[in-house]
Amino acid sequence: MADAQYILPNDIGVFSLDCREAFRLLSPTERLYAHHLSRAAWYGGLAVLLQTSPEAPYIYALLSRLFRAQDPDQLHQHALAEGLTEEEYQAFLVYAAGIYSNMGNYKSFGDTKFVPNLPKEKLERVILGSKAAQQHPEGIRSLWQTCRELMFSLEPRLRHLGLGKEGITTYFSGDCTMEDAKLAQDFLDSQNLSAYNTRLFKGVSLDGKPCYEVRLASVLGMEPTLHSEMTSKLKSYEFRGCHFQVTRGDYAPILQKVVEHLEKAKAYAANSLQEQMLAQYIESFTQGSIEAHKRGSRFWIQDKGPIVESYIGFIESYRDPFGSRGEFEGFVAMVNKAMSAKFECLVASAEQLLKELPWPPAFEKDKFLTPDFTSLDVLTFSGSGIPAGINIPNYDDLRQTDGFKNVSLGNVLAVAYATQREKLTFLEEDDKDLYIRWKGPSFDVQVGLHELLGHGSGKLFVQDEKGALNFDQETVINPETGEQIQSWYRSGETWDSKFSTIASSYEECRAESVGLYLCLNPQVLEIFGFEGADAEDVIYVNWLNMVRAGLLALEFYTPEASSWRQAHMQARFVILRVLLEAGEGLVTVTPTTGADGRPDARVRLDRNKIRPVGKPALERFLRKLQVLKSTGDVARGRALYEGYAAVTDASPECFLTLRDTVLLRKESRKLIVQPNTRLEDSEVQLLEYEASAAGLIRSFSERFPEDGPELEEVLTQLATADARFWKCPNEASSDQA
C-alpha cells in the first residue's frame, strides 16, 4: 500500500453543504437564475480536470461511466464477489469521491497526488467485470489501460504538482522549465496579454529555435471574427530569439456549454447590471478575452447586495507553478442576512480601521472603494475546492480603481467548525475546550478582516502607459529606508506577473497578518458581538489557531525540492516564524511523546504577551510586506518572504523533524457533498445527498443527466489531442516518426 501521505483514509470526514433554507426563500425567478448559473459553473468546472494532470480526464470518465451503470450500492455487491474486502471497497469509494471533490487526482489543498488504497489488480477486476464494461467493453478497457499506470504511480516527479523536474502540471507542456515560464510571462507583458486564461506549450521550429504556443481558453478557434479585440492578437511573434504563436480554442466544447447556460441565465437576471455582466462573461469565454471578463467584473462589483450572488471564470492562480494562470471556478450562493448585517457594520467602519494599519497613508488607496461584503450560503462551487471566504476580482487594476467584493461562505464555515476533540492535535489539553468553543466565532472575525481589510487594503505604485505615476515621487517616503520611492510597477506589470511564484502566498500572508493585527481592536470585536472576557477569548483562539495552522502547514512542504505546495499554508508557516522570532516566550513549539508512544508536539501561546510582544512584531512585519508590495520591490520582497518560509532542522524548533510528526498525526481535509438543481417543467428542484463518499459520488452521477456520456467523450478527446505534450522525448519522437 502507498504511504499515508498519498492516500485518502477510509474514515475521512464527509459533510453535506446545507443550503436548504436559503434556497427555499428564493423566488421562482431567482431559482431559475441560480439554476442556470449553477449549470454554467458545473460545466466549466470540468476544465479543471484538463488543468490538473494528463490522466485526470480519463480517470473522471472511467469513474463516471462505472457509477452511471451501477450506483455505489450495486457496485458494492460486484466488488465483494470479485474478492475485495469491505475496507478495500470503501477505499475505492473514498478515492472516487476524492477525484470528484478535487476535480482530479491531486489534492486541491497541497497539490499532493492521491492514489487508490487497494491493489491495482483487484481494482482492475472490479472495473473490467462491471456492468459498464459489459455494456461498453472496448471503451471501458481503453480508459482503464490509458490511466491505470498513472493512477497508481508515485514516481517522484508525479507526487506533486510542479514545473519541470519539480512535478507535473498541465498548464505547461512537459518540457517547459521555470525559465520558459518567465520568458513567456515577459512576452505576455510585452503584448498586454493576461496569462489568466492561457496554457503554454513548447516546441522546436524548423529553424531550430524554441517555439511556444500560448493558447487562450475560448469557444472560438482560429477562425477570424468581426469586431473582436482578440483578432489582432492571434498571430506569430518573434521575441528574444524565439517564436511565439498566440492561439485560442482551449476547452472550447466545455466553454460552449458554459456560454449556453449564461445566455439562459440572462433571461432571469434581477437587473441590467447582471445582464451586462453575463453578456461580458459570454464575450470573454467565446473570444478568449480577459479584458471582456474584466468588464463583466466591473458590472459585478457595481451589483451591490444581490439575493443570488455568483462569479465565474479563470480566477485563482494558486496551482500554476509560476503563479499567473487561473484555475476555472464558478460559484452560486444566496445571502445569509444575519451574518451579512455584521459584515455591513465592518464595512461601515473600514475607512477608520484602515488608519490603524501600520503603514503611512500614501501606501493606502487614494480612496476606499466601499465594497459589497456579504455572508452567503453556497449552492454551487465548482473547481478543485471550496474556500471559506473570497475577495475578488483578482485583477489589480480593478481593485485599485473600481473596488472589489468580499464574500464569506457561511455554510462552508459551518463545516470547517466541525472539530472533534479527540482529533484535535498539537494543543495543550487546557486549550482544547476553549478552542472548540471559540474556533467558529474567531474564524468569522478573521475571515471578515482577512477579506475586507487584508486583501482590500494597500496601494500599488503604478506608472501608466503614458509615463504618469499614481503617487508623488517627490514627497512619498519609503518608511523602511527613509528615502524616496525607487521602484514601482511599469505599464503592463501586475502583482502576479512581477512576484510570480510567491505572489499568492505573500498576499495571503499579508491578509492573514492584517486579520490577526486588527482583531485586537475592541471596535472590531464589538461589531461581531464580543466584549470583555469573551472578546479576549476570541482574540486568543484566533491567534492560537494561526500558530497551530503554521505547524500543520509543514505537511505541505516538500523537503526534496525545498518548496511549498500550498499558498495559504506557506503563509501561515511564515506567520508562525515571525511570532516565534518575537521571542519572550510568546509562542513555543515543543516536541513530546503522545499517549500512544509515538512522536507528538504541543503549541503554546502566552495570551498575556499577545499585545506587548506579538502586536509590535506583527506590526513591523506587516509594514515591510506592504511597503515591498506597494513598490514592486521583488528582490527585497523575495528575500524577506523566502527567508521566513525556509524550513530547516535548526534548533530549537527543528521544523524538518517536526514535519514527520505532523505527517504522522495529520487529519485529512474534509470532503464536501454539494446539492444539484433540477429543472422540472418550469420549477427548479433542489436535490440533496447524504454525507458520505457514496453520497458524493451520487451527486456527480446525477450532475449531468442529459449529456454525461457526451461530456466524458469530449474530455477524453481533448486530453488525447494534447497527450503528446506530456510524453517522454523518446515517446514523442516515435509518435512523430
Side-chain angles (χ1 to χ4, degrees):
M1 293 296 102
D3 186 295
Q5 185 180 355
Y6 304 106
I7 62 169
L8 302 179
N10 280 11
D11 64 350
I12 192 169
V14 184
F15 293 82
S16 290
L17 211 53
D18 182 8
C19 63
R20 187 183 313 167
E21 181 62 15
F23 184 81
R24 185 185 67 80
L25 295 173
L26 296 181
S27 70
T29 300
E30 289 164 349
R31 290 185 184 188
L32 285 162
Y33 183 64
H35 167 72
H36 288 296
L37 290 175
S38 292
R39 300 311 300 153
W42 285 125
Y43 279 116
L46 295 172
V48 178
L49 294 160
L50 296 157
Q51 294 181 298
T52 300
S53 70
E55 67 273 14
Y58 300 105
I59 297 173
Y60 173 91
L62 178 63
L63 294 174
S64 296
R65 293 185 181 186
L66 203 63
F67 289 113
R68 187 185 304 109
Q70 292 170 284
D71 84 356
D73 289 343
Q74 294 169 332
L75 194 64
H76 181 203
Q77 299 307 314
H78 163 63
L80 295 183
E82 290 291 350
L84 270 70
T85 65
E86 292 284 357
E87 291 74 19
E88 288 169 338
Y89 183 65
Q90 179 63 19
F92 174 53
L93 291 186
V94 166
Y95 175 78
I99 295 292
Y100 290 134
S101 185
N102 293 277
M103 269 289 105
N105 56 333
Y106 287 76
K107 297 173 187 174
S108 64
F109 210 77
D111 298 338
T112 303
K113 188 174 186 178
F114 58 95
V115 300
N117 190 25
L118 71 160
K120 185 194 306 179
E121 297 73 22
K122 286 193 171 185
L123 182 54
E124 181 171 79
R125 289 204 300 271
V126 172
I127 290 170
L128 298 185
S130 67
K131 189 174 179 180
Q134 293 168 15
Q135 294 171 343
H136 304 286
E138 291 184 9
I140 296 298
R141 183 173 291 276
S142 175
L143 283 171
W144 172 244
Q145 289 177 342
T146 301
C147 67
R148 65 181 177 184
E149 298 305 322
L150 285 172
M151 181 189 286
F152 281 86
S153 176
L154 286 173
E155 176 189 330
R157 180 171 169 262
L158 303 182
R159 293 175 185 172
H160 309 288
L161 296 180
L163 188 56
K165 297 178 181 179
E166 303 302 324
I168 187 72
T169 177
T170 48
Y171 284 111
F172 299 86
S173 57
D175 52 356
C176 282
T177 64
M178 197 60 76
E179 289 71 29
D180 294 311
K182 179 65 170 69
L183 176 66
Q185 186 64 57
D186 291 346
F187 164 72
L188 290 168
D189 289 344
S190 75
Q191 299 301 319
N192 284 318
L193 274 170
S194 171
Y196 269 116
N197 65 340
T198 70
R199 291 197 289 171
L200 185 70
F201 301 96
K202 183 181 179 182
V204 179
S205 62
L206 293 175
D207 59 6
K209 293 182 180 179
C211 62
Y212 300 90
E213 178 194 0
V214 175
R215 190 189 301 169
L216 311 178
S218 67
V219 175
L220 293 176
M222 295 301 287
E223 63 271 22
T225 54
L226 296 174
H227 312 302
S228 169
E229 66 198 60
M230 298 307 300
T231 302
S232 63
K233 304 284 189 181
L234 304 174
K235 61 183 182 182
S236 296
Y237 301 79
E238 293 294 316
F239 184 78
R240 295 184 187 170
C242 300
H243 300 300
F244 278 85
Q245 178 79 33
V246 178
T247 68
R248 67 180 176 187
D250 218 0
Y251 326 118
I254 292 171
L255 292 178
Q256 178 62 49
K257 299 277 190 181
V258 175
V259 165
E260 288 170 5
H261 279 280
L262 293 179
E263 287 281 8
K264 292 177 179 178
K266 278 174 63 180
Y268 306 105
N271 53 52
S272 63
L273 289 172
Q274 290 179 359
E275 291 174 2
Q276 293 175 89
M277 170 190 79
L278 293 174
Q280 291 299 323
Y281 291 163
I282 290 166
E283 174 79 1
S284 174
F285 298 141
T286 301
Q287 301 284 352
S289 167
I290 289 296
E291 288 304 314
H293 196 269
K294 285 185 177 181
R295 292 193 292 270
S297 298
R298 286 191 173 96
F299 290 121
W300 178 73
I301 292 166
Q302 295 170 43
D303 184 28
K304 303 292 186 183
I307 299 300
V308 177
E309 182 64 281
S310 70
Y311 197 63
I312 189 169
F314 296 89
I315 312 299
E316 301 292 355
S317 57
Y318 301 132
R319 298 183 97 188
D320 170 14
F322 189 72
S324 295
R325 288 151 190 81
E327 182 175 84
F328 192 97
E329 71 178 38
F331 79 84
V332 183
M334 301 148 296
V335 68
N336 179 317
K337 293 182 180 178
M339 184 57 74
S340 293
K342 295 179 182 179
F343 288 144
E344 285 175 15
C345 293
L346 189 63
V347 170
S349 305
E351 287 192 79
Q352 187 61 39
L353 291 171
L354 283 170
K355 297 175 183 177
E356 303 294 320
L357 292 174
W359 48 77
F363 286 75
E364 195 48 71
K365 293 183 179 70
D366 300 327
K367 183 178 185 301
F368 180 69
L369 300 164
T370 304
D372 208 9
F373 198 168
T374 49
S375 177
L376 304 172
D377 284 345
V378 170
L379 170 66
T380 294
F381 205 113
S382 73
S384 65
I386 311 179
I390 313 170
N391 177 287
I392 38 181
N394 287 333
Y395 305 120
D396 293 327
D397 48 351
L398 266 65
R399 296 172 67 83
Q400 299 288 317
T401 59
D402 294 81
F404 50 91
K405 282 188 182 183
N406 295 276
V407 174
S408 175
L409 304 178
N411 56 347
V412 178
L413 285 168
V415 170
Y417 297 163
T419 303
Q420 296 174 291
R421 196 181 195 281
E422 60 271 19
K423 291 190 175 182
L424 196 52
T425 55
F426 306 126
L427 292 180
E428 299 285 352
E429 286 298 317
D430 292 347
D431 280 332
K432 288 186 177 180
D433 291 332
L434 196 69
Y435 182 91
I436 290 171
R437 180 181 177 188
W438 292 109
K439 180 189 175 187
S442 71
F443 203 36
D444 283 334
V445 174
Q446 179 68 11
V447 168
L449 294 171
H450 173 117
E451 301 296 350
L452 174 64
L453 298 167
H455 291 313
S457 64
K459 177 177 180 174
L460 300 186
F461 295 158
V462 177
Q463 183 177 40
D464 66 21
E465 63 276 4
K466 296 178 181 178
L469 296 166
N470 69 342
F471 66 99
D472 187 340
Q473 196 175 4
E474 295 299 318
T475 61
V476 177
I477 300 298
N478 184 324
E480 294 297 308
T481 65
E483 301 172 351
Q484 292 179 327
I485 304 303
Q486 303 294 320
S487 60
W488 50 83
Y489 295 80
R490 312 289 174 174
S491 177
E493 292 182 333
T494 67
W495 164 249
D496 281 331
S497 70
K498 204 165 173 65
F499 279 72
S500 64
T501 54
I502 68 166
S504 292
S505 183
Y506 188 113
E507 173 59 10
E508 289 304 321
C509 185
R510 195 182 68 89
E512 292 281 41
S513 298
V514 166
L516 286 184
Y517 187 76
L518 288 180
C519 83
L520 300 174
N521 188 306
Q523 180 185 354
V524 168
L525 295 166
E526 286 175 18
I527 288 171
F528 285 88
F530 306 119
E531 297 181 87
D534 286 353
E536 292 303 310
D537 284 343
V538 167
I539 292 169
Y540 175 63
V541 170
N542 194 31
W543 279 59
L544 181 64
N545 184 52
M546 189 61 68
V547 296
R548 175 176 180 262
L551 180 61
L552 294 174
L554 288 167
E555 173 190 345
F556 303 97
Y557 178 76
T558 305
E560 298 82 6
S562 299
S563 65
W564 286 89
R565 305 188 306 277
Q566 218 289 331
H568 294 78
M569 300 309 279
Q570 180 181 10
R572 291 164 186 170
F573 177 78
V574 167
I575 291 172
L576 171 61
R577 288 283 310 276
V578 170
L579 297 180
L580 282 166
E581 188 181 88
E584 298 187 43
L586 171 68
V587 175
T588 54
V589 181
T590 308
T592 184
T593 301
D596 57 4
R598 297 189 297 174
D600 205 343
R602 293 288 178 270
V603 170
R604 177 177 284 133
L605 169 69
D606 188 333
R607 65 189 301 162
N608 296 317
K609 294 180 180 176
I610 290 175
R611 283 187 176 86
V613 179
K615 184 179 180 181
L618 202 58
E619 184 174 285
R620 292 189 296 272
F621 178 62
L622 247 180
R623 183 167 49 246
K624 288 180 182 178
L625 286 180
Q626 183 57 52
V627 168
L628 294 167
K629 180 180 179 180
S630 290
T631 58
D633 191 338
V634 179
R636 289 185 175 86
R638 278 192 173 276
L640 172 74
Y641 197 71
E642 291 175 347
Y644 278 113
V647 179
T648 71
D649 229 12
S651 61
E653 287 81 25
C654 304
F655 282 119
L656 281 177
T657 300
L658 278 173
R659 179 179 177 273
D660 295 332
T661 303
V662 170
L663 291 175
L664 180 69
R665 300 284 178 180
K666 76 183 185 77
E667 181 183 1
S668 293
R669 193 170 173 82
K670 302 174 181 75
L671 303 181
I672 297 179
V673 183
Q674 298 185 56
N676 284 319
T677 55
R678 182 71 47 80
L679 187 58
E680 296 180 2
D681 296 325
S682 59
E683 293 187 1
V684 180
Q685 305 296 327
L686 183 71
L687 306 180
E688 298 175 287
Y689 302 89
E690 67 179 36
S692 67
L696 201 159
I697 290 166
R698 289 189 183 99
S699 73
F700 268 87
S701 294
E702 297 181 8
R703 193 139 284 158
F704 304 105
E706 304 91 356
D707 51 7
E710 173 196 335
L711 292 169
E712 292 144 23
E713 188 68 25
V714 162
L715 284 166
T716 55
Q717 286 176 354
L718 292 174
T720 301
D722 289 331
R724 67 188 187 280
F725 290 117
W726 294 284
K727 289 183 177 179
C728 298
N730 58 337
E731 291 180 292
S733 60
S734 64
D735 281 357
Q736 293 165 2

